[in-house]
Amino acid sequence: MKKMTKTILSLLLCFVSTLSYSKEREVIDFNRGWQFCLTDNASEPIPVTGSSWQQIDLPYDFQLNMPWDSTANRARAFKKQAAAWFRKVFVAHETWKGHRVMLDFEGLMYYGDVYFNGKRVGGTEYGYCGFDCDISALINYGGENIVSVYTNTGVDGGSRWYTGGGINRNVCLIITDTIALARHGIYATAAPLKELHGTWQVEIQAEYTGATLSMGRLETQARIIDAIGNVVSESERYPCPAQSRQQLVEVKLPALNVSNPTLWSCDTPYLYTIEVTTYCDGVVRDRQMERFGFRTIEYGADFGFKLNRQKVFLQGIANHVDFGGVGVATYRTAIARQLKQLKAFGFNAVRCSHNPYPECFYDLCDEMGILVVDEFVDKWSTDGNCWGGRTDFLNCWVPLMQEWVKRDRNHPCVIMWSLGNEMQHRENASGYMTGDWGVTMYRMMDVLLKRYDATRPSTAAMYPARANGIRRADYGFRDKKNIVPPELSCVTEIASYNYEYADYPRYKECNPNLIIFQSEASVNDLVTPFLCMNRTTTVGLCYWGAIEYWGESDGWPKKGWNYSFFDHTLNPYPRAYLLRSCFKEDEPQVHIGVLDGEQKSVIWNDVLSGRAEMSHFYWKPNAGDNITLEISTNCDEVELLQNGKSLGVKKNNRHDKKQQNKLLWRDIPWQAGKVIAVAKNNGSEVARHELRSPGKATRMQMTVEDNPMPGYTAADLVYVRLQAVDNKGLAVDNYEGEVSIEVNGGATLIALD
C-alpha cells in the first residue's frame, strides 16, 4: 500500500525483449538477466552468492532505488554516493567462432570498469559517452561466460546535479566478421551543388582499423536509400588502401549525387539511409546502415539561424537527463513522450545539458523534427569540482570528444556543438590555466572537433557574467561600462549566454559580430525572455529546467527542481499554457489557472528562479473563500463567466512584455459549478476553456497512454495514468487516500511517479 499526496500517477510497465540483427552483423540486446549488488569493493572477482544480489534487467538506475537521506547532497537528490557491481552469465553460440565479438556499452554512471571472464576489457571515466570491449579472444565456448561491471557514482563534488548510478543505458553484443567497419565507422555530409539546381552531393567516409586493411583486397560500396526503400544513388565498389600504419583509416568514397531530395525540417523530418557494404576479395564481409537527412544550416549576426534558408527561432528546453520514475534509466518511450509533449506546446529545440544524451534521443529528434544543441561537458575543470571521473578531465577529453562527435555527427537534428557550460566564473573552471578565461582551451577543443565534423558551428555557454569574470554579486555589475560580453563568448562561433537577456543589445554594441543564443532562460521570468529577445537577429532560447527533474533541490524534503513548466509525469503546470500561447502564436488559445499562492523565488547559481503555486483544480473547501484566476491567452480579449454570470472583459496588454498574454481576476468569491474563459479576436469568439468544481472522489480512473512513436518494442515501457475522479468523472486532484496497485500478466511494475 502506498499513500499518495498527488494522484496523477505514471505507471511504468516493462515487457520481455527481442533480438535484432542483419545478415552480415548481428546486434543482440544484452539488457536482460543481470545480477546487481551494492558494494564498496572495487576488486574483481567478487562472490555471486548471498541475498545481497538482486535479479534485474537493464537499463537500471540503482541510485534512485536507494533510500532518501536528508544528510546527503541536496544537489544529488539527497541520495548517498555509492558503488555497485553488475554481472551477467551467458553461453556463447558456436557460430560466433572466428568472428569479432564486441560488448557495447552506451553508457553507465558515473565511471566504471568492465571485466570479462575475470580480465578487465574496458571502462570509462565519463559514463555519458559510450565505449566497446573486444571479448573475441576471451570467450569460453565450452561453458559459461561472465561479464562483470563495476560502476561508481563518483564523489559528491563530481557533479552539480543528480547523475543516477549503474548501467543506465543499453548494452548489446555485436558480432561481426573479422573484416568490418570500425566503431561509428560511417560519416556522411550533404550539400547542394550550386551548378546543378536541385542536385545534392553526398560525401561518404568509411572507417577501418589499420590492421583490417591487410586482411585481403578490401572494397567499399555505398548506397543511399529513401524512406520507402528506394535506392536513389549508388557507388561502384571503391578500393581501400592495401595497408596502413595508422590505427584508424578514413576511406573517402567517391561523392554521390541525389536529385531533388526531400529536405529534413522541423515540419517534415524526412530521413534517408546510407548503406555501406564491405567486400574482401569480392565477398561481402560487413554491411551497416546509418540514417541521415538533407538540410542546410546557416548562422549570421543579422538573422540568427536559418534551416533550409528559412529563418527559425529556437524555442527550446535545457534540462538534465531525467525520466521521472525510472531516474536516468534510458527507455525510448520515456524520451519519446517527453519530446511529444514538448512539441505539443510549441518547443522545437533541446539543448543537451550538460552532457551527451542517450542515442535514441537523437534518433527520436531526427524522426520528430526537433533541433538539438549537442553539449559535451559541464566545466573544463582541473580541480575535481564538476567532474566525477578518476582521471582528470584534461587527461582524457580527447578520446571522449572523438566518441561524442563520431556518434552524433550524422544526425540532421544536431545543428550546433556546445563544448562546455558556465566556465567564466572562476579561472580553474576554464581548463588549462592560460590566463585568458578559457579562450586557448576552446580553440584547442574546437580544432579537434572540426577534425571530425566541420559542418556545424561550436559554442560554449557562458555563466551570467561579464568580461573578467564579474558576477552579479560584484560591485558595479550593472554599470554600463561593465556590461561587456565575456571574453570567451567573443571567440566562440556562436555567443551562448545563460540568462541576462536584457544585456544582449549592449553586448552587440560592444561586438556587432556576435551571433547570440540564450542557452538558458529562467522559468521564473515566464515569457518575458522570449518576448524581449530580438527574434529576427538572434538564434533562440532554451528554458532551464522546463521539466521537473531530480536533484538540485533548494531544501529538504524536496528531492529535485520543480520551478518548471511540466511536472515529473509531464503534466503541464498552468503557466505552460502561457508559454504555449507565445510559442504557438498563430493558434488562438486560452487557458484558466487557479493561483494557489504567491510567487516563490530562490537565488540559484546566481540566477533568480521560481514559480507561482498554480493548479488546474477549481476547488475550495468553503463556499465563502475567494480565489484568483490567471488566464493565459494570445487573443485580443477574454471574458470570464462564473456559472453563467459575466465577471468582466479584459484586454491583452501586448505593449507590456511582463503582462502580455497574462490576465488576472483577483478575489473572486468561489462558487461550486464552473468558470469559463471566452477568448475573442476582433469581437468574435475564437477559443474557450472551462474549469468545473468536482465532488467527492468515488473511484480511480485508469488511462493507458498510446505508444507515442514508431519503434516501440516489447522491451519498452507502457505508461498508465491514474486519477481520482468523482461520480461524474471530474478529476479530484486533492485526493489523499491510499492506492493499491496489482499487475497481472506478462508486465512488471517498475515505478510510480
Side-chain angles (χ1 to χ4, degrees):
M1 302 288 284
K2 294 184 179 290
K3 185 174 182 180
M4 298 293 158
T5 58
K6 195 173 186 180
T7 57
I8 299 178
L9 309 175
S10 286
L11 182 65
L12 286 70
L13 309 178
C14 186
F15 289 89
V16 180
S17 66
T18 57
L19 303 183
S20 63
Y21 61 93
S22 65
K23 180 180 179 182
E24 283 75 28
R25 58 170 56 212
E26 187 176 9
V27 179
I28 301 175
D29 183 332
F30 212 58
N31 288 327
R32 308 294 164 241
W34 286 76
Q35 295 173 304
F36 156 78
C37 177
L38 283 173
T39 177
D40 292 329
N41 180 9
S43 300
E44 211 281 338
I46 57 175
V48 192
T49 59
S51 59
S52 59
W53 286 91
Q54 303 175 41
Q55 297 294 322
I56 63 159
D57 291 329
L58 303 180
Y60 185 69
D61 176 3
F62 74 77
Q63 196 174 35
L64 193 68
N65 294 308
M66 293 171 61
W68 306 107
D69 187 333
S70 61
T71 67
N73 190 331
R74 65 179 184 173
R76 303 294 292 265
F78 293 105
K79 298 286 189 177
K80 289 287 190 181
Q81 302 309 101
W85 279 93
F86 293 77
R87 290 174 70 117
K88 180 180 173 72
V89 180
F90 73 100
V91 176
H93 293 277
E94 292 288 333
T95 55
W96 298 353
K97 285 184 177 179
H99 290 71
R100 186 175 67 176
V101 182
M102 309 294 293
L103 260 175
D104 187 283
F105 289 83
E106 189 187 327
L108 53 82
M109 283 291 110
Y110 180 93
Y111 63 79
D113 301 293
V114 179
Y115 296 82
F116 184 72
N117 289 337
K119 181 177 180 180
R120 188 182 185 277
V121 291
T124 184
E125 300 301 311
Y126 187 54
Y128 293 109
C129 291
F131 60 97
D132 59 16
C133 312
D134 191 337
I135 60 173
S136 309
L138 300 174
I139 295 177
N140 175 18
Y141 285 99
E144 293 181 336
N145 294 272
I146 302 175
V147 180
S148 304
V149 184
Y150 173 75
T151 66
N152 194 302
T153 59
V155 297
D156 278 353
S159 175
R160 298 182 295 119
W161 59 85
Y162 176 78
T163 65
I167 307 177
N168 64 309
R169 297 184 181 179
N170 291 321
V171 181
C172 61
L173 270 180
I174 302 176
I175 296 93
T176 70
D177 195 281
T178 53
I179 297 174
L181 287 165
R183 180 175 177 82
H184 308 310
I186 299 174
Y187 176 40
T189 60
L193 288 173
K194 295 180 179 179
E195 61 272 20
L196 293 174
H197 181 71
T199 300
W200 287 58
Q201 188 173 81
V202 182
E203 302 278 357
I204 300 173
Q205 177 177 290
E207 298 180 2
Y208 299 92
T209 62
T212 301
L213 301 181
S214 60
M215 294 182 177
R217 181 173 53 86
L218 262 63
E219 297 172 302
T220 303
Q221 183 179 36
R223 300 197 303 170
I224 299 175
I225 304 167
D226 67 16
I228 59 175
N230 297 318
V231 177
V232 297
S233 191
E234 184 175 12
S235 73
E236 300 292 331
R237 296 184 191 179
Y238 183 75
C240 299
Q243 61 181 1
S244 176
R245 295 182 183 273
Q246 289 184 309
Q247 182 179 359
L248 191 71
V249 179
E250 298 166 343
V251 179
K252 294 181 176 11
L253 306 181
L256 296 178
N257 289 346
V258 178
S259 298
N260 300 311
T262 302
L263 301 188
W264 185 94
S265 70
C266 295
D267 296 325
T268 57
Y270 194 93
L271 294 170
Y272 289 79
T273 298
I274 291 177
E275 179 189 82
V276 174
T277 304
T278 303
Y279 296 84
C280 182
D281 297 330
V283 178
V284 175
R285 304 292 287 271
D286 188 29
R287 180 174 287 121
Q288 192 169 354
M289 296 184 177
E290 185 84 6
R291 294 194 304 183
F292 81 112
F294 291 88
R295 57 104 177 103
T296 63
I297 57 174
E298 303 169 74
Y299 292 86
D302 57 341
F303 62 82
F305 170 68
K306 291 182 180 179
L307 178 66
N308 299 328
R309 301 181 180 176
Q310 300 295 316
K311 166 67 181 178
V312 175
F313 186 81
L314 270 59
Q315 300 172 172
I317 177 177
N319 250 63
H320 296 305
V321 175
D322 190 294
F323 307 119
V326 295
V328 299
T330 297
Y331 291 93
R332 179 183 170 92
T333 300
I335 299 174
R337 66 193 293 272
Q338 278 192 357
L339 296 176
K340 182 180 179 182
Q341 181 73 311
L342 290 173
K343 193 147 189 175
F345 277 76
F347 289 86
N348 63 10
V350 175
R351 173 190 170 215
C352 302
S353 309
H354 305 290
N355 42 257
Y357 276 23
E359 290 183 31
C360 63
F361 163 81
Y362 302 89
D363 291 336
L364 287 162
C365 288
D366 284 345
E367 296 166 14
M368 299 174 72
I370 295 175
L371 305 169
V372 174
V373 177
D374 204 358
E375 194 155 277
F376 180 37
V377 74
D378 186 14
K379 311 286 187 288
W380 305 329
S381 182
T382 61
D383 62 357
N385 186 274
C386 308
W387 174 254
R390 295 161 295 187
T391 301
D392 192 290
F393 171 73
L394 295 179
N395 293 329
C396 62
W397 68 269
V398 172
L400 292 173
M401 179 180 284
Q402 291 170 322
E403 166 69 17
W404 167 56
V405 176
K406 285 187 174 185
R407 188 196 73 168
D408 295 345
R409 61 189 177 181
N410 290 319
H411 290 283
C413 66
V414 177
I415 59 168
M416 191 191 310
W417 302 111
S418 178
L419 296 176
N421 173 66
E422 294 184 347
M423 283 73 64
Q424 193 146 350
H425 65 300
R426 69 175 195 274
E427 189 179 7
N428 64 356
S430 302
Y432 298 110
M433 301 290 282
T434 53
D436 55 7
W437 294 106
V439 169
T440 298
M441 180 72 181
Y442 164 76
R443 286 176 168 154
M444 293 171 61
M445 296 177 81
D446 189 57
V447 168
L448 183 65
L449 171 72
K450 296 295 194 294
R451 164 70 179 83
Y452 297 104
D453 182 74
T455 67
R456 304 164 175 90
S458 65
T459 190
M462 288 290 94
Y463 192 82
R466 310 286 190 231
N468 202 32
I470 297 176
R471 296 174 58 169
R472 183 179 281 107
D474 295 336
Y475 177 77
F477 181 80
R478 295 308 320 169
D479 289 353
K480 185 175 181 180
K481 65 180 180 180
N482 289 328
I483 305 179
V484 178
E487 292 85 349
L488 183 54
S489 70
C490 296
V491 177
T492 55
E493 292 171 284
I494 308 298
S496 296
Y497 300 112
N498 293 349
Y499 317 104
E500 299 302 330
Y501 58 88
D503 294 333
Y504 298 166
R506 170 61 180 162
Y507 286 179
K508 289 281 279 190
E509 289 178 19
C510 297
N511 188 340
N513 296 320
L514 293 177
I515 304 172
I516 290 179
F517 167 51
Q518 188 174 179
S519 37
E520 290 179 21
S522 174
V523 170
N524 180 79
D525 294 332
L526 301 175
V527 296
T528 308
F530 174 81
L531 296 173
C532 287
M533 286 190 73
N534 185 331
R535 299 196 296 279
T536 301
T537 63
T538 58
V539 172
L541 85 171
C542 291
Y543 276 96
W544 178 259
I547 300 175
E548 181 182 357
Y549 59 85
W550 300 116
E552 294 194 293
S553 164
D554 58 346
W556 179 270
K558 283 176 59 177
K559 308 309 188 300
W561 182 270
N562 69 337
Y563 301 118
S564 307
F565 291 121
F566 304 91
D567 71 16
H568 243 157
T569 75
L570 299 184
N571 233 28
Y573 292 117
R575 282 184 170 172
Y577 292 91
L578 175 62
L579 194 69
R580 191 180 191 276
S581 72
C582 291
F583 279 5
K584 288 179 167 281
E585 57 187 355
D586 295 333
E587 178 186 320
Q589 52 193 289
V590 64
H591 190 87
I592 307 170
V594 182
L595 194 62
D596 292 337
E598 295 303 314
Q599 179 90 0
K600 179 184 178 183
S601 298
V602 59
I603 297 294
W604 189 265
N605 286 348
D606 213 20
V607 175
L608 183 67
S609 300
R611 176 175 59 84
E613 294 299 320
M614 293 183 67
S615 72
H616 313 274
F617 190 45
Y618 182 63
W619 180 87
K620 286 289 178 180
N622 302 307
D625 286 353
N626 290 342
I627 59 174
T628 296
L629 300 180
E630 183 175 293
I631 314 300
S632 301
T633 187
N634 54 13
C635 302
D636 295 340
E637 62 183 27
V638 172
E639 181 179 14
L640 189 65
L641 300 100
Q642 185 180 45
N643 292 329
K645 179 183 177 181
S646 176
L647 300 180
V649 176
K650 295 194 175 185
K651 303 284 187 180
N652 189 353
N653 185 359
R654 296 191 175 100
H655 300 291
D656 187 336
K657 302 301 184 187
K658 292 186 177 181
Q659 299 300 321
Q660 183 174 337
N661 288 18
K662 186 171 67 172
L663 306 173
L664 277 177
W665 268 265
R666 296 185 182 274
D667 298 325
I668 299 170
W670 183 85
Q671 298 175 5
K674 63 182 177 181
V675 290
I676 301 175
V678 179
K680 297 180 180 181
N681 282 334
N682 300 317
S684 299
E685 179 181 338
V686 290
R688 66 167 50 203
H689 180 237
E690 71 174 47
L691 294 181
R692 296 191 179 194
S693 59
K696 183 179 179 181
T698 59
R699 61 187 174 90
M700 296 297 296
Q701 180 173 281
M702 183 175 74
T703 305
V704 180
E705 293 187 6
D706 293 334
N707 300 334
M709 286 293 295
Y712 178 85
T713 71
D716 221 312
L717 304 179
V718 172
Y719 282 81
V720 180
R721 237 175 228 286
L722 303 178
Q723 174 68 66
V725 296
D726 67 7
N727 57 8
K728 295 180 181 178
L730 295 177
V732 184
D733 283 358
N734 65 337
Y735 176 72
E736 293 188 351
E738 292 185 340
V739 179
S740 178
I741 297 172
E742 182 178 335
V743 180
N744 296 312
T748 301
L749 173 64
I750 63 171
L752 284 171
D753 204 353

